[in-house]
Amino acid sequence: MKKNIAVIIILCFFAHSALAIYAPRALSMGGAFTAVADDAFAAYYNPAGLAINPGIDLAASYQLNNRNQQIGDNAYALKACFEIGLNPFAWIAGVGLASMFAYDGAKYLANQGIVKKNWGREGEKTKKDESMADQAKAKDEQDRAAGQELERNPISKTQALKTAAKAMAKGTIHITESLAQVAIQEAKLQTRHYYYAPAWYQPHYFRPTYWDNRYDYKEKELTPDGKAQFAGGITIMSDKNSTPAVDQDTNWYAFSLASGWGEIVALGANLNVYDLRISSTDIRGLGAGLDLGGLLRISDKLFFGLAAKELLTTDIKFSNNTITRYEMTVNGGVAIKPMQPILLSADVHNIFGQNSQTPTMHYGVEIKPIYGVALRAGLYDGSKTAGISFGLGQLIVDYTILGGSFNRTQLIGGTWKL
């Protein structure tokens, strides 16, 4: 098993043109995923969602046709979530302690001039799904017009990683051995088989998916009640796009931590690292940012979510001394289950209209007629989306078609529950 996992991870690092970031399930629901976010691709929509549904997931997606002009065609995600018995006061104290270390770490980085707040700041900004090629190439045009030699200052990834590792040491939180020991003990619990589950896909307590309602178990020890969830994840997007509209090779790396209690409330954060290259001129850029997210599940029928993207940033500095950054956005969402098999969701992206951009509306519906089958549809800022999922043993297969501005792009993806 360990050998198989290692092979998959290695393949993911080298398969630059085969995998996809905008997860098929979330996209088929119109991107209305801020309050749902309960699968391996949660980091992109709301990092708090990594603390929902414990287990280890490997997820990836393949674009079948019609490459669109937005950044984000290739990626994979790894999620690891464990839970232990913990009373809410201990969990709150733990999250508070972690927050104190995180705040101290952020303050230290700010004092070093490494990170900056991203709200209310002037300067060049770019939407996260758009290319930075025009900004980077504009500096070269200015230098040519002034008769100056084009600047190219080497950017060392190794040195940047060393500096970041030293600077982030104060904000690092270590997971103790006892967490793994309790997780192993809980693994001995037996599965509950649903009478309506098809023969090819039976639920398993320790590999819960979005088909599960974990509070539906009669045995309290099988539910998340009285337990805390701790999760980590890695999401990697690698997109080589030399078309004139994009002209950028993009590598995004998101390192995520999340924690929840009883799957009622959850908090999460992403550390994003951006490694960019302008295809036509070989200008390279490097930078980072921080996302924060929260989930509140008042009951098994009403969910709320909030995510602030690029709340803190470093400047993205290119090798020709162009300075820019991704813009900050705040997304909010609500989801309701009028009936157990039906999920309705709605999101407002860029709630506060930051950066003179109009907020966008997103709507989605997910219907699960039987265990192991899900049908979806949505509106992504006016563009229609649809999809379907099947569960096959430990594998979940997703298919999505995107209309409107996505030009009928089709995606197929999979999640392997280890």
Side-chain angles (χ1 to χ4, degrees):
M1 177 65 73
K2 292 182 179 178
K3 183 178 179 180
N4 291 338
I5 295 173
V7 170
I8 290 172
I9 292 175
I10 291 171
L11 287 176
C12 288
F13 271 107
F14 288 98
H16 287 293
S17 59
L19 310 170
I21 181 78
Y22 295 137
R25 181 182 174 218
L27 272 180
S28 64
M29 297 175 66
F33 212 61
T34 305
V36 181
D38 56 1
D39 60 23
F41 280 108
Y44 185 80
Y45 295 91
N46 189 342
L50 292 174
I52 306 298
N53 291 329
I56 300 176
D57 299 5
L58 277 174
S61 177
Y62 180 81
Q63 188 171 354
L64 294 174
N65 68 340
N66 297 345
R67 180 188 183 93
N68 58 63
Q69 296 302 312
Q70 293 174 291
I71 291 174
D73 292 330
N74 314 311
Y76 84 97
L78 169 65
K79 164 192 169 182
C81 178
F82 305 92
E83 66 179 12
I84 62 172
L86 200 68
N87 67 60
F89 302 105
W91 179 77
I92 291 171
V95 171
L97 185 63
S99 299
M100 182 180 71
F101 279 106
Y103 172 78
D104 186 55
K107 185 177 179 181
Y108 171 79
L109 295 175
N111 290 339
Q112 300 299 311
I114 298 172
V115 300
K116 303 174 184 177
K117 67 181 181 66
N118 202 21
W119 60 94
R121 282 175 58 199
E122 300 297 328
E124 194 71 47
K125 289 175 281 191
T126 304
K127 293 179 68 174
K128 205 164 182 178
D129 59 357
E130 292 182 350
S131 171
M132 292 185 170
D134 290 342
Q135 294 95 311
K137 289 188 289 189
K139 177 67 166 53
D140 280 5
E141 293 172 2
Q142 292 174 2
D143 290 345
R144 286 195 187 96
Q148 299 175 355
E149 184 177 346
L150 299 184
E151 292 186 72
R152 291 293 186 273
N153 298 317
I155 294 178
S156 171
K157 297 179 189 177
T158 302
Q159 186 58 41
L161 288 173
K162 287 181 179 179
T163 302
K166 291 179 181 178
M168 294 298 290
K170 284 194 174 183
T172 302
I173 304 168
H174 297 281
I175 299 175
T176 62
E177 261 184 16
S178 60
L179 193 80
Q181 292 172 356
V182 175
I184 292 172
Q185 292 174 3
E186 296 241 347
K188 298 175 182 177
L189 296 172
Q190 297 299 312
T191 179
R192 172 195 175 189
H193 294 283
Y194 286 51
Y195 69 90
Y196 54 85
W200 66 85
Y201 189 75
Q202 294 289 341
H204 190 293
Y205 168 72
F206 250 132
R207 291 196 294 266
T209 68
Y210 47 76
W211 278 290
D212 287 299
N213 177 10
R214 298 180 64 210
Y215 276 103
D216 192 39
Y217 287 92
K218 293 181 180 179
E219 303 85 352
K220 182 178 178 181
E221 63 270 19
L222 298 183
T223 74
D225 188 28
K227 298 175 184 175
Q229 295 79 35
F230 299 91
I234 301 173
T235 306
I236 297 178
M237 192 278 284
S238 181
D239 181 30
K240 293 186 176 181
N241 195 333
S242 59
T243 60
V246 179
D247 191 23
Q248 181 173 296
D249 296 343
T250 306
N251 295 290
W252 294 349
Y253 307 92
F255 303 91
S256 309
L257 289 175
S259 180
W261 190 81
E263 294 195 347
I264 298 170
V265 60
L267 302 170
N270 296 327
L271 171 63
N272 306 310
V273 178
Y274 307 116
D275 175 20
L276 311 176
R277 173 182 172 272
I278 308 307
S279 307
S280 62
T281 61
D282 198 33
I283 302 171
R284 295 178 178 272
L286 193 66
L290 181 75
D291 305 334
L292 294 179
L295 282 175
L296 177 62
R297 297 186 161 201
I298 294 177
S299 69
D300 61 354
K301 298 184 182 298
L302 182 60
F303 314 149
F304 295 95
L306 190 69
K309 295 190 173 187
E310 299 301 300
L311 186 67
L312 298 174
T313 64
T314 68
D315 289 326
I316 296 179
K317 184 175 181 180
F318 287 85
S319 55
N320 69 345
N321 286 335
T322 297
I323 301 293
T324 184
R325 67 185 187 277
Y326 287 115
E327 64 185 26
M328 173 186 168
T329 57
V330 178
N331 302 338
V334 60
I336 60 172
K337 286 186 176 181
M339 300 173 60
Q340 189 57 42
I342 300 175
L343 174 66
L344 305 175
S345 60
D347 269 21
V348 182
H349 292 182
N350 193 22
I351 293 175
F352 302 114
Q354 293 111 325
N355 315 302
S356 301
Q357 301 287 335
T358 303
T360 59
M361 302 302 299
H362 303 256
Y363 305 96
V365 58
E366 181 176 67
I367 301 174
K368 294 172 277 193
I370 63 172
Y371 202 98
V373 176
L375 308 173
R376 305 184 183 99
L379 279 176
Y380 190 110
D381 194 23
S383 296
K384 296 178 181 178
T385 64
I388 186 170
S389 287
F390 295 99
L392 305 169
Q394 293 175 236
L395 178 67
I396 299 174
V397 179
D398 298 296
Y399 167 79
T400 296
I401 183 168
L402 311 172
S405 63
F406 291 100
N407 192 31
R408 299 183 67 82
T409 295
Q410 298 181 63
L411 302 173
I412 187 168
T415 299
W416 184 20
K417 301 285 294 187
L418 299 180

